[in-house]
mmCIF file of all heavy atoms in Angstrom:
data_model
loop_
_atom_site.group_PDB
_atom_site.id
_atom_site.type_symbol
_atom_site.label_atom_id
_atom_site.label_comp_id
_atom_site.label_asym_id
_atom_site.label_seq_id
_atom_site.Cartn_x
_atom_site.Cartn_y
_atom_site.Cartn_z
ATOM 1 N N LEU A 351 -33.463 22.241 15.091
ATOM 2 C CA LEU A 351 -33.698 23.600 14.865
ATOM 3 C C LEU A 351 -35.084 23.859 14.213
ATOM 4 O O LEU A 351 -35.509 23.152 13.377
ATOM 5 C CB LEU A 351 -32.637 24.195 13.832
ATOM 6 C CG LEU A 351 -32.513 25.656 13.682
ATOM 7 C CD1 LEU A 351 -31.920 26.208 14.949
ATOM 8 C CD2 LEU A 351 -31.630 25.987 12.509
ATOM 9 N N PHE A 353 -38.230 27.316 13.811
ATOM 10 C CA PHE A 353 -38.591 28.706 14.058
ATOM 11 C C PHE A 353 -39.694 28.705 15.084
ATOM 12 O O PHE A 353 -40.699 28.061 14.972
ATOM 13 C CB PHE A 353 -39.008 29.343 12.818
ATOM 14 C CG PHE A 353 -37.891 29.563 11.786
ATOM 15 C CD1 PHE A 353 -37.757 28.741 10.728
ATOM 16 C CD2 PHE A 353 -36.927 30.491 12.049
ATOM 17 C CE1 PHE A 353 -36.740 28.966 9.758
ATOM 18 C CE2 PHE A 353 -35.900 30.699 11.180
ATOM 19 C CZ PHE A 353 -35.761 29.899 10.032
ATOM 20 N N LEU A 439 -31.070 38.048 7.002
ATOM 21 C CA LEU A 439 -29.819 37.472 7.314
ATOM 22 C C LEU A 439 -28.939 37.666 6.097
ATOM 23 O O LEU A 439 -29.067 37.027 5.092
ATOM 24 C CB LEU A 439 -29.959 35.940 7.590
ATOM 25 C CG LEU A 439 -28.669 35.195 7.895
ATOM 26 C CD1 LEU A 439 -28.081 35.621 9.214
ATOM 27 C CD2 LEU A 439 -28.889 33.690 7.812
ATOM 28 N N THR A 443 -22.190 39.204 8.307
ATOM 29 C CA THR A 443 -22.857 39.415 9.529
ATOM 30 C C THR A 443 -22.061 40.483 10.362
ATOM 31 O O THR A 443 -20.882 40.268 10.669
ATOM 32 C CB THR A 443 -22.930 38.159 10.321
ATOM 33 O OG1 THR A 443 -23.595 37.155 9.522
ATOM 34 C CG2 THR A 443 -23.753 38.316 11.590
ATOM 35 N N PHE A 445 -22.387 43.149 13.800
ATOM 36 C CA PHE A 445 -23.083 43.587 14.934
ATOM 37 C C PHE A 445 -22.617 44.963 15.402
ATOM 38 O O PHE A 445 -21.425 45.287 15.311
ATOM 39 C CB PHE A 445 -22.898 42.594 16.131
ATOM 40 C CG PHE A 445 -23.607 41.251 15.819
ATOM 41 C CD1 PHE A 445 -22.881 40.240 15.286
ATOM 42 C CD2 PHE A 445 -24.897 41.070 16.162
ATOM 43 C CE1 PHE A 445 -23.480 38.983 15.053
ATOM 44 C CE2 PHE A 445 -25.526 39.864 15.925
ATOM 45 C CZ PHE A 445 -24.785 38.809 15.390
ATOM 46 N N TYR A 456 -27.604 38.662 22.448
ATOM 47 C CA TYR A 456 -28.841 37.914 22.384
ATOM 48 C C TYR A 456 -29.911 38.512 23.244
ATOM 49 O O TYR A 456 -31.036 38.741 22.801
ATOM 50 C CB TYR A 456 -28.546 36.421 22.651
ATOM 51 C CG TYR A 456 -29.772 35.465 22.434
ATOM 52 C CD1 TYR A 456 -30.025 35.029 21.191
ATOM 53 C CD2 TYR A 456 -30.494 35.061 23.525
ATOM 54 C CE1 TYR A 456 -31.056 34.088 20.991
ATOM 55 C CE2 TYR A 456 -31.533 34.138 23.328
ATOM 56 C CZ TYR A 456 -31.847 33.688 22.073
ATOM 57 O OH TYR A 456 -32.853 32.803 21.844
ATOM 58 N N LEU A 473 -30.786 26.408 21.560
ATOM 59 C CA LEU A 473 -30.958 26.369 20.110
ATOM 60 C C LEU A 473 -29.849 25.488 19.477
ATOM 61 O O LEU A 473 -30.027 25.106 18.307
ATOM 62 C CB LEU A 473 -30.897 27.767 19.525
ATOM 63 C CG LEU A 473 -31.959 28.753 20.008
ATOM 64 C CD1 LEU A 473 -31.691 30.177 19.413
ATOM 65 C CD2 LEU A 473 -33.349 28.268 19.652
ATOM 66 N N LEU A 475 -27.030 26.294 18.464
ATOM 67 C CA LEU A 475 -26.309 27.052 17.463
ATOM 68 C C LEU A 475 -24.924 27.462 17.923
ATOM 69 O O LEU A 475 -24.040 27.759 17.095
ATOM 70 C CB LEU A 475 -27.100 28.213 16.946
ATOM 71 C CG LEU A 475 -28.316 27.874 16.106
ATOM 72 C CD1 LEU A 475 -29.227 29.040 15.971
ATOM 73 C CD2 LEU A 475 -27.815 27.436 14.698
ATOM 74 N N GLN A 492 -19.294 31.666 13.600
ATOM 75 C CA GLN A 492 -19.940 31.821 14.880
ATOM 76 C C GLN A 492 -20.827 33.032 14.916
ATOM 77 O O GLN A 492 -21.949 32.990 15.507
ATOM 78 C CB GLN A 492 -18.897 31.899 16.053
ATOM 79 C CG GLN A 492 -18.179 30.569 16.288
ATOM 80 C CD GLN A 492 -16.960 30.775 17.136
ATOM 81 O OE1 GLN A 492 -16.237 31.804 17.103
ATOM 82 N NE2 GLN A 492 -16.702 29.792 18.021
ATOM 83 N N ARG A 493 -20.373 34.153 14.291
ATOM 84 C CA ARG A 493 -21.188 35.355 14.231
ATOM 85 C C ARG A 493 -22.482 35.081 13.406
ATOM 86 O O ARG A 493 -23.529 35.550 13.722
ATOM 87 C CB ARG A 493 -20.454 36.491 13.628
ATOM 88 C CG ARG A 493 -19.300 37.064 14.486
ATOM 89 C CD ARG A 493 -18.908 38.454 14.087
ATOM 90 N NE ARG A 493 -18.369 38.480 12.750
ATOM 91 C CZ ARG A 493 -17.074 38.236 12.453
ATOM 92 N NH1 ARG A 493 -16.220 37.971 13.442
ATOM 93 N NH2 ARG A 493 -16.625 38.311 11.222
ATOM 94 N N ARG A 494 -22.325 34.293 12.329
ATOM 95 C CA ARG A 494 -23.466 33.931 11.544
ATOM 96 C C ARG A 494 -24.467 33.071 12.368
ATOM 97 O O ARG A 494 -25.681 33.223 12.198
ATOM 98 C CB ARG A 494 -23.028 33.194 10.307
ATOM 99 C CG ARG A 494 -24.093 33.070 9.239
ATOM 100 C CD ARG A 494 -23.468 32.793 7.855
ATOM 101 N NE ARG A 494 -24.516 32.776 6.785
ATOM 102 C CZ ARG A 494 -24.991 33.835 6.174
ATOM 103 N NH1 ARG A 494 -24.642 34.987 6.577
ATOM 104 N NH2 ARG A 494 -25.849 33.671 5.228
ATOM 105 N N ARG A 495 -23.924 32.213 13.151
ATOM 106 C CA ARG A 495 -24.778 31.330 13.935
ATOM 107 C C ARG A 495 -25.552 32.252 14.974
ATOM 108 O O ARG A 495 -26.745 31.938 15.269
ATOM 109 C CB ARG A 495 -23.943 30.328 14.726
ATOM 110 C CG ARG A 495 -23.440 29.178 13.893
ATOM 111 C CD ARG A 495 -22.322 28.425 14.621
ATOM 112 N NE ARG A 495 -22.011 27.185 13.959
ATOM 113 C CZ ARG A 495 -22.485 26.058 14.226
ATOM 114 N NH1 ARG A 495 -23.348 25.905 15.211
ATOM 115 N NH2 ARG A 495 -22.155 24.969 13.555
ATOM 116 N N LEU A 496 -24.908 33.205 15.577
ATOM 117 C CA LEU A 496 -25.585 34.142 16.475
ATOM 118 C C LEU A 496 -26.704 34.899 15.775
ATOM 119 O O LEU A 496 -27.792 35.045 16.317
ATOM 120 C CB LEU A 496 -24.611 35.073 17.095
ATOM 121 C CG LEU A 496 -25.150 36.159 18.067
ATOM 122 C CD1 LEU A 496 -25.913 35.493 19.228
ATOM 123 C CD2 LEU A 496 -24.008 37.017 18.575
ATOM 124 N N ALA A 497 -26.386 35.434 14.585
ATOM 125 C CA ALA A 497 -27.467 36.122 13.804
ATOM 126 C C ALA A 497 -28.601 35.220 13.481
ATOM 127 O O ALA A 497 -29.792 35.613 13.550
ATOM 128 C CB ALA A 497 -26.828 36.683 12.494
ATOM 129 N N LEU A 498 -28.284 33.925 13.147
ATOM 130 C CA LEU A 498 -29.378 33.007 12.860
ATOM 131 C C LEU A 498 -30.158 32.671 14.145
ATOM 132 O O LEU A 498 -31.408 32.509 14.064
ATOM 133 C CB LEU A 498 -28.739 31.746 12.306
ATOM 134 C CG LEU A 498 -29.677 30.654 11.870
ATOM 135 C CD1 LEU A 498 -30.641 31.083 10.795
ATOM 136 C CD2 LEU A 498 -28.888 29.460 11.336
ATOM 137 N N ALA A 499 -29.515 32.605 15.294
ATOM 138 C CA ALA A 499 -30.198 32.368 16.554
ATOM 139 C C ALA A 499 -31.222 33.406 16.825
ATOM 140 O O ALA A 499 -32.364 33.125 17.308
ATOM 141 C CB ALA A 499 -29.195 32.229 17.638
ATOM 142 N N LEU A 500 -30.911 34.654 16.582
ATOM 143 C CA LEU A 500 -31.828 35.783 16.816
ATOM 144 C C LEU A 500 -33.055 35.659 15.990
ATOM 145 O O LEU A 500 -34.220 35.926 16.372
ATOM 146 C CB LEU A 500 -31.105 37.089 16.547
ATOM 147 C CG LEU A 500 -29.990 37.473 17.499
ATOM 148 C CD1 LEU A 500 -29.175 38.633 17.011
ATOM 149 C CD2 LEU A 500 -30.559 37.812 18.872
ATOM 150 N N LEU A 501 -32.898 35.172 14.706
ATOM 151 C CA LEU A 501 -34.053 34.997 13.820
ATOM 152 C C LEU A 501 -34.859 33.774 14.178
ATOM 153 O O LEU A 501 -36.097 33.789 14.100
ATOM 154 C CB LEU A 501 -33.552 34.854 12.372
ATOM 155 C CG LEU A 501 -32.773 36.071 11.812
ATOM 156 C CD1 LEU A 501 -32.288 35.771 10.412
ATOM 157 C CD2 LEU A 501 -33.623 37.324 11.856
ATOM 158 N N VAL A 502 -34.181 32.697 14.594
ATOM 159 C CA VAL A 502 -34.894 31.465 14.971
ATOM 160 C C VAL A 502 -35.729 31.690 16.203
ATOM 161 O O VAL A 502 -36.873 31.224 16.311
ATOM 162 C CB VAL A 502 -33.860 30.334 15.174
ATOM 163 C CG1 VAL A 502 -34.586 29.128 15.840
ATOM 164 C CG2 VAL A 502 -33.280 29.908 13.859
ATOM 165 N N ALA A 503 -35.228 32.393 17.146
ATOM 166 C CA ALA A 503 -35.916 32.588 18.449
ATOM 167 C C ALA A 503 -37.067 33.478 18.342
ATOM 168 O O ALA A 503 -38.071 33.384 19.087
ATOM 169 C CB ALA A 503 -34.917 33.152 19.483
ATOM 170 N N ASP A 504 -37.045 34.430 17.421
ATOM 171 C CA ASP A 504 -38.146 35.415 17.323
ATOM 172 C C ASP A 504 -38.333 35.809 15.850
ATOM 173 O O ASP A 504 -38.016 36.901 15.429
ATOM 174 C CB ASP A 504 -37.829 36.610 18.157
ATOM 175 C CG ASP A 504 -39.048 37.528 18.372
ATOM 176 O OD1 ASP A 504 -40.142 37.049 18.073
ATOM 177 O OD2 ASP A 504 -38.870 38.690 18.879
ATOM 178 N N LEU A 509 -39.143 36.667 6.553
ATOM 179 C CA LEU A 509 -37.719 36.370 6.845
ATOM 180 C C LEU A 509 -36.979 36.257 5.556
ATOM 181 O O LEU A 509 -37.316 35.500 4.633
ATOM 182 C CB LEU A 509 -37.622 35.066 7.582
ATOM 183 C CG LEU A 509 -36.248 34.620 8.013
ATOM 184 C CD1 LEU A 509 -35.539 35.657 8.898
ATOM 185 C CD2 LEU A 509 -36.322 33.284 8.806
ATOM 186 N N LEU A 511 -33.361 35.542 3.666
ATOM 187 C CA LEU A 511 -32.099 34.828 3.918
ATOM 188 C C LEU A 511 -31.230 34.855 2.692
ATOM 189 O O LEU A 511 -31.634 34.374 1.702
ATOM 190 C CB LEU A 511 -32.379 33.374 4.371
ATOM 191 C CG LEU A 511 -33.374 33.137 5.563
ATOM 192 C CD1 LEU A 511 -33.679 31.658 5.711
ATOM 193 C CD2 LEU A 511 -32.791 33.709 6.819
ATOM 194 N N PRO A 514 -27.999 31.322 3.378
ATOM 195 C CA PRO A 514 -28.073 31.027 4.809
ATOM 196 C C PRO A 514 -27.214 29.855 5.265
ATOM 197 O O PRO A 514 -26.860 29.765 6.432
ATOM 198 C CB PRO A 514 -29.577 30.650 4.971
ATOM 199 C CG PRO A 514 -30.034 30.207 3.667
ATOM 200 C CD PRO A 514 -29.242 31.052 2.656
ATOM 201 N N LEU A 518 -21.874 27.097 7.584
ATOM 202 C CA LEU A 518 -22.577 26.195 8.475
ATOM 203 C C LEU A 518 -22.173 24.740 8.068
ATOM 204 O O LEU A 518 -22.081 24.402 6.890
ATOM 205 C CB LEU A 518 -24.098 26.309 8.352
ATOM 206 C CG LEU A 518 -24.706 27.683 8.760
ATOM 207 C CD1 LEU A 518 -26.212 27.545 8.721
ATOM 208 C CD2 LEU A 518 -24.258 28.055 10.173
ATOM 209 N N LEU A 522 -26.005 21.099 10.557
ATOM 210 C CA LEU A 522 -26.809 22.322 10.867
ATOM 211 C C LEU A 522 -27.495 22.814 9.629
ATOM 212 O O LEU A 522 -28.662 23.346 9.698
ATOM 213 C CB LEU A 522 -25.905 23.390 11.482
ATOM 214 C CG LEU A 522 -26.636 24.667 11.959
ATOM 215 C CD1 LEU A 522 -27.772 24.312 12.935
ATOM 216 C CD2 LEU A 522 -25.674 25.587 12.620
ATOM 217 N N LEU A 526 -31.475 23.508 9.315
ATOM 218 C CA LEU A 526 -31.976 24.811 8.881
ATOM 219 C C LEU A 526 -32.916 24.615 7.680
ATOM 220 O O LEU A 526 -33.978 25.256 7.560
ATOM 221 C CB LEU A 526 -30.836 25.760 8.532
ATOM 222 C CG LEU A 526 -31.298 27.079 7.952
ATOM 223 C CD1 LEU A 526 -32.122 27.883 8.908
ATOM 224 C CD2 LEU A 526 -30.005 27.912 7.576
#
Side-chain angles (χ1 to χ4, degrees):
L351 194 66
F353 291 106
L439 179 69
T443 305
F445 291 94
Y456 186 80
L473 300 176
L475 286 166
Q492 289 168 326
R493 291 198 299 272
R494 193 161 183 81
R495 285 164 172 266
L496 177 57
L498 183 58
L500 293 167
L501 299 178
V502 168
D504 195 11
L509 182 56
L511 305 173
L518 299 185
L522 184 55
L526 177 59

